[in-house]
Amino acid sequence: MSDLLHRLRGRGWRMTSQRRVVAEVLDGDHVHLTADEVHARAAERLPEISRATVYNTLGELAALGEIAEVSTIGRAKRYDPNAHHPHQHLVCSRCGTVRDVHPTGDPLADLPPAEQFGFTLTEAEVTYRGLCPDCA
Amino acid sequence: MSDLLHRLRGRGWRMTSQRRVVAEVLDGDHVHLTADEVHARAAERLPEISRATVYNTLGELAALGEIAEVSTIGRAKRYDPNAHHPHQHLVCSRCGTVRDVHPTGDPLADLPPAEQFGFTLTEAEVTYRGLCPDCA
DNA sequence: TCTTGACTTGGACTGTGTCCATCGTAGGAT
DNA sequence: ATCCTACGATGGACACAGTCCAAGTCAAGA
């Protein structure tokens, strides 16, 4: 994830220990942490980091497109650092576990212009729901 | 929506003025209200209805499959009474407006078995995001 | 090394939703 | 028609997710 830190520097970000730690926590594939989980893991390395800073940093990273916010129904947002590799999510309806999946086809192409109602489309998010093997 | 009230009766629901009003508020197509909006509209007809009752009733209707919960990112859940007619949603990233859309193809069929990881799939929800004509 | 404005902090605050003890009432029983 | 009672409604306290703000801190350019 030093790539990320490098890119952020290039965008004029001031590098702080807090931001570095948040970026490190989000390193890796198949990571789908809530903001509070990010805060807990960051606090292991930097005990005095505040929730506000974690929220700020996650929000900025999402606005820059470096991480993706995963939508949920009635749960806390999850943050996905795998934003540069298009994929979708498979969510357990009971326990909320998230897995990355790669469906065939391009959902954006499946929406005919007549169904776009003048919107400027930016994204098609597909969420598969079901019960994971543990909950079934 | 007397169909709905009828079906609920058949399922052993006790009919109360509160439940009737909530069901009436949710009548119609292309309705995507938050729980508080449902409460506000219900309160116009039945001023003393409580938030808890609205939440309970919406939760029960959703559990019965009579209405669908629409997932959001960082906003209040919205409830869609059009649950018996499969469709997807187009959401404005700025103002949160929701429109029903009907993409071609079947997203559930786009997930190969090797990508299902032992989950028992029940649903594929597609959310198109972009800016609506007013916000663009 | 100095300076400065961007960043961090923690606590208060808001919005969304849940829980619970108590009261009320729909609808079956008589 | 009236009574009973279990199911539903109430509202206030509570919990969780997230935001805001004033004050203090510090990264990095001069």
Side-chain angles (χ1 to χ4, degrees):
Chain A
M1 176 120 335
S2 60
D3 297 359
L4 170 56
L5 295 179
H6 220 250
R7 278 201 301 279
L8 296 176
R9 258 221 157 85
R11 303 215 206 196
W13 257 34
R14 179 179 290 183
M15 190 46 50
T16 66
S17 54
Q18 292 84 353
R19 285 173 168 182
R20 191 189 329 277
V21 165
V22 169
E24 285 170 4
V25 165
L26 285 170
D27 195 10
D29 288 344
H30 308 301
V31 174
H32 305 94
L33 298 173
T34 64
D36 270 356
E37 287 165 353
V38 172
H39 177 243
R41 299 197 184 188
E44 291 172 4
R45 308 190 196 186
L46 196 66
E48 296 314 318
I49 192 171
S50 73
R51 287 172 69 248
T53 296
V54 171
Y55 274 102
N56 287 341
T57 305
L58 291 172
E60 289 157 3
L61 288 170
L64 291 173
E66 296 289 350
I67 63 178
E69 298 182 330
V70 180
S71 64
T72 57
I73 294 186
R75 296 178 191 264
K77 278 185 221 176
R78 291 183 177 271
Y79 292 89
D80 185 342
N82 202 12
H84 294 294
H85 301 272
H87 63 278
Q88 305 298 343
H89 293 113
L90 173 55
V91 181
C92 177
S93 309
R94 180 170 309 169
C95 70
T97 303
V98 178
R99 293 209 60 138
D100 287 354
V101 293
H102 301 83
T104 60
D106 174 12
L108 263 181
D110 285 345
L111 194 64
E115 288 277 289
Q116 297 182 10
F117 299 104
F119 278 57
T120 310
L121 289 186
T122 55
E123 179 197 3
E125 177 184 30
V126 184
T127 304
Y128 295 92
R129 295 184 200 284
L131 291 179
C132 72
D134 290 347
C135 290
Chain B
M1 175 118 341
S2 60
D3 297 1
L4 169 57
L5 296 178
H6 222 248
R7 279 202 300 280
L8 296 176
R9 256 220 155 88
R11 302 213 206 198
W13 256 35
R14 179 179 291 183
M15 189 47 51
T16 67
S17 54
Q18 290 86 351
R19 286 173 166 181
R20 192 190 328 278
V21 166
V22 169
E24 285 169 4
V25 165
L26 285 170
D27 195 11
D29 288 343
H30 309 300
V31 173
H32 305 95
L33 299 173
T34 64
D36 269 357
E37 287 166 353
V38 172
H39 177 242
R41 298 197 185 187
E44 289 172 6
R45 309 191 196 184
L46 196 66
E48 296 314 319
I49 192 171
S50 72
R51 286 173 68 248
T53 296
V54 171
Y55 275 101
N56 287 342
T57 305
L58 291 172
E60 289 157 3
L61 288 171
L64 291 173
E66 296 290 350
I67 62 179
E69 298 182 330
V70 179
S71 63
T72 57
I73 294 187
R75 295 178 190 265
K77 277 185 224 177
R78 290 182 177 273
Y79 293 88
D80 185 342
N82 202 11
H84 294 292
H85 302 272
H87 63 278
Q88 306 298 343
H89 293 112
L90 173 55
V91 181
C92 177
S93 309
R94 179 168 310 166
C95 69
T97 302
V98 178
R99 292 210 61 136
D100 288 354
V101 293
H102 301 82
T104 59
D106 175 12
L108 263 182
D110 285 347
L111 195 63
E115 287 277 290
Q116 296 183 10
F117 299 104
F119 277 57
T120 310
L121 289 185
T122 54
E123 179 197 2
E125 177 184 29
V126 184
T127 305
Y128 295 91
R129 293 183 202 288
L131 290 178
C132 72
D134 289 346
C135 290

